Every structure is written in structure tokens, then in C-alpha cells.
């Protein structure tokens, strides 16, 4: 995979097409002297069929095909590096036109291909166990950069396969970039563009409470909440945004939200860290805390990395924790680490080129 030709990248005079809604694209076509409906045709090629070379857009007049790439940048990201895990997971480092880099992870599982999408370069929330948090924050991604992750990553799938699910669980806090996130989700759900169904997209948040209701009023997606602790004292440490929006504020808002039901539960992520939040009492407290919220818990054994001393519990402790939840009627699953040999698992995205893998081995259990 090489760089996109320079001519296709955004510049001040050549704005990024993927930043626009379909309506705006139609509007820009009119400004260019083309009929409005060309916008839908162009979107059908680029988003629907994955054709980004205007030469391949065979039902467009030659003049339009030539004008297209001259006027507008058709790509917002270029692929800088691709790594393939032995379990089939694919991670790519993707670069914006200012050189900022993010990572996206494609996770094949049975007949599903889930893409883990980033929304920011780095992250300002500084969760204590997360490698992205250790990077600090550089900037928000633009709409086109969020959209283009799907375009770039689906080219890495075997012929004939498609991305079936999107999870906003990559780098960054999606709800701190809500306007761009919402516009990207609209393009993903637009029937004439990507046509993802509402239950095929999940937005994960560390708990930016005021933005949750706004998001769900604007778009119909699944919500995942990164909980990780059942007391404010511990959550203040692990997920520092808890100091602004403590547990009862977060869980109270979810309890009162009209958006959830048994059919459309809140997905809670709970990263299990040995000796920190993995005791049976934590599991009991979790059951109590989630009472009254339609909930499904995803237990994620801590994925170790060089920026944190946190380690996953032993398999026995993980099973025991899950058992407490299940026995009390809380729906719960344990997420197997995917792509951990290429640092693609949850919380391992950090854009580094790996020299410190030796460091991981040095402090790791092996
Ligand atoms: N900022 C959003 C999106 C990140 S989603 C959020 O916090 O929800 C990534 C999930 O993986 C979050 O639940 C995050 O807390 C969790 N995570 C981060 N680092 C991890 C690690 N090293 N091991 C396991 N899970 C981790």
C-alpha cells in the first residue's frame, strides 16, 4: 500500500469531499455547474461501491470525471503502515494531510467484520491504564477523516467481503468530537452511501454525560460506556473524567434516558485489572450499581502495554467475576483479546513503531 497520489489529498484550494453530507455534495455539484443529482451518483461510487478513481465512474460524463479530482480531494487519509495479526486482525496506521497519525483496527469474527474507528489524534482523558491516554491529545479528526477510515480499511479485506459493524472504540473520546462524529455517522447510515443499520454502529464513551443525550437525540446508534469501577474513589483514578461526572450522575442519566430498552441495552465496558477492580465484591457492587438500567456488560481483560503497570487477572478470577454477574441475571460476556500480537487490542493503540515491545516483555508476566 503506497501513498495516495498527492493530487487526491486535501489542500486549502481543494476541499475534502468526505467532509460533506450528501446534500452538501449535491450543492457543491450545482456550484460547479453540474446537476444536483450527480452528488448522489458520486457518493454511490465512492461510498457504496468503493470506487475513488474518477476514471472508474463510468456513468458520469468525461468532463465531470476530470473536474472531480481537480476540484475536490477524494481522500482524507493515506495508509502509512499495515500490520496483520496471526488471529486475522488487521491494524493500520493512517495519516492525515497535516501528518497527524491515527490507528484503525479491523476485526474479522465469523461472518462479521468489525472496524474499530478513531475519532481523535490522541485523547485528552488520560485514563490511567490506556496507551492512547498516555499519548496526550493533538486534535479532533475531521468528518472526512472519520469516514475515510472505513474506505481505507475495507480495501484491506479479502475480495467480496465487507465491513459489517462499526465501533467507535479506537483512539480518542468520540463525545468530545460530537459534531464531526454525528456527521460521519449520518454518512455511514445514509442508504445512498454506506447504508449501515442503526444496531450496526456502537459509540463508546468514558462518560461525557452532557453529550450522551445529545448524541442519541441526533443519531440512532448503540451506546457503550466505559465503566471500569464501581466506586467513585477508584473510578476517579482509572477514568479521571469521573471527577466531573461521578458514577451516580452517569448512571442516573442512563437510568432516566428514554433511549434504552432490553432490546437496545447500554453496553458497559469493564476492563478487569488484577488486584484493582476484579474482586467478587466488585462484581456484586456492579450488579447493584446497574440496577434499573437495561444493561449488557463486556468484560475486557486488561491488555498490557509499556505505559501501564496494570495486568489482567488470572483466567479463574475472570470467570468468577463473570459468574457473579450472570448468576444475578446481568447479561455479561468476556471479550477475548484480538490482535494483541500487533498491539491492536483495546487500549493498545498508540501509534508507536514498536521499539518498546521489548519493554512490554520485560515487565509482562512471561
Ligand atoms: N474513549 C472512549 C473510546 C475508547 S474505547 C471510551 O473510553 O469509551 C476503548 C475501550 O478499551 C474503553 O473501554 C477503554 O477504557 C478500554 N481500554 C483502554 N485501555 C485498555 C487496556 N489496556 N486494556 C483493556 N481495555 C482498555
Amino acid at each position: 500500500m503506497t501513498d495516495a497520489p498527492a493530487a487526491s489529498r486535501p489542500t486549502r484550494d481543494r476541499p475534502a469531499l468526505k467532509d460533506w453530507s450528501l446534500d452538501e455534495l449535491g450543492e457543491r455539484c450545482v456550484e460547479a455547474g453540474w446537476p444536483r443529482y450527480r452528488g448522489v451518483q458520486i457518493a454511490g461510487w465512492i461510498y457504496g461501491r468503493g470506487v475513488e478513481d474518477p476514471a472508474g465512474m463510468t456513468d458520469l460524463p468525461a468532463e465531470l470525471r476530470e473536474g472531480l479530482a481537480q476540484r475536490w480531494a477524494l481522500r482524507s487519509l493515506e495508509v502509512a503502515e499495515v500490520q496483520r495479526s496471526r488471529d486475522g486482525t488487521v491494524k493500520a496506521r493512517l495519516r492525515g494531510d497535516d501528518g497527524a497519525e491515527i490507528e484503525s483496527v479491523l476485526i474479522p469474527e465469523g461472518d462479521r467484520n468489525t472496524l474499530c474507528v478513531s475519532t481523535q489524534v490522541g485523547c485528552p482523558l488520560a485514563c490511567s491504564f490506556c496507551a492512547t491516554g498516555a499519548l496526550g491529545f493533538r486534535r479532533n479528526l475531521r468528518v472526512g477523516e472519520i469516514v475515510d477510515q472505513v474506505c481505507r480499511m475495507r480495501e484491506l479485506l479479502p475480495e467480496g467481503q465487507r465491513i459489517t459493524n462499526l465501533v467507535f472504540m479506537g483512539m480518542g473520546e468520540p463525545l468530545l468530537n460530537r459534531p464531526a462524529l454525528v456527521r460521519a455517522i449520518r454518512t455511514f447510515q445514509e442508504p445512498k452511501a454506506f447504508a449501515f443499520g442503526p444496531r450496526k454502529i456502537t459509540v463508546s464513551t468514558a462518560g461525557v454525560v452532557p453529550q450522551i443525550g445529545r448524541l442519541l437525540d441526533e443519531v440512532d446508534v448503540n451506546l457503550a460506556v466505559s465503566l471500569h469501577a464501581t466506586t467513585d474513589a477508584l473510578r476517579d483514578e482509572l477514568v479521571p473524567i469521573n471527577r466531573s461526572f461521578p458514577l451516580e450522575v452517569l448512571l442516573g442519566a442512563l437510568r432516566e434516558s428514554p433511549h434504552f430498552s432490553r432490546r437496545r441495552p447500554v453496553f458497559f465496558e469493564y476492563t478487569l485489572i488484577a488486584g484493582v477492580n476484579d474482586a467478587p465484591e466488585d462484581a456484586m457492587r456492579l450488579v447493584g450499581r446497574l440496577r434499573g438500567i437495561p444493561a449488557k456488560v463486556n468484560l475486557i481483560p486488561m491488555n498490557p502495554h509499556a505505559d501501564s503497570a496494570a495486568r489482567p487477572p488470572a483466567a479463574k478470577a475472570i470467570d468468577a467475576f463473570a459468574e457473579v454477574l450472570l448468576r444475578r441475571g446481568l447479561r455479561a460476556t468476556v471479550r477475548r483479546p484480538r490482535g494483541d500480537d500487533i498491539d491492536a487490542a483495546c487500549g493498545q493503540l498508540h501509534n508507536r513503531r514498536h521499539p518498546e515491545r521489548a519493554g512490554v516483555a520485560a515487565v509482562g508476566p512471561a
Side-chain angles (χ1 to χ4, degrees), residues 116-117 119-120 123 125 127 129-132 168-175 203-207 224-228 239 269-273 300-305 308 310 335 345-348:
C116 185
V117 180
T119 51
Q120 298 184 311
C123 182
L125 292 187
C127 296
F129 53 92
C130 177
T132 305
F168 287 90
M169 298 185 183
M171 303 173 94
E173 167 52 46
L175 292 192
V203 173
S204 180
T205 179
V225 173
S226 296
L227 201 63
H228 309 321
V239 185
E269 293 148 294
Y270 191 100
T271 295
L272 284 165
I273 305 173
I300 314 171
M302 172 71 196
N303 294 304
H305 57 84
S308 167
R335 198 186 284 172
C346 301
Q348 294 185 322

Side-chain angles (χ1 to χ4, degrees), residues 72-93:
W72 306 325
L74 305 189
R75 291 188 180 202
S76 292
L77 294 172
E78 57 187 272
V79 178
E81 184 188 8
V82 177
Q83 288 175 270
R84 292 180 188 268
S85 161
R86 54 178 119 78
D87 69 13
T89 303
V90 183
K91 178 171 85 167
R93 192 154 51 81

Side-chain angles (χ1 to χ4, degrees), residues 185 189 198-199 201-203 215-216 219-223 264:
I185 289 172
Q189 295 188 337
R199 300 282 77 75
I201 300 185
T202 302
V203 173
L215 173 79
L216 297 178
V219 284
D220 184 8
V221 291
N222 296 328
L223 184 77
R264 187 190 172 190

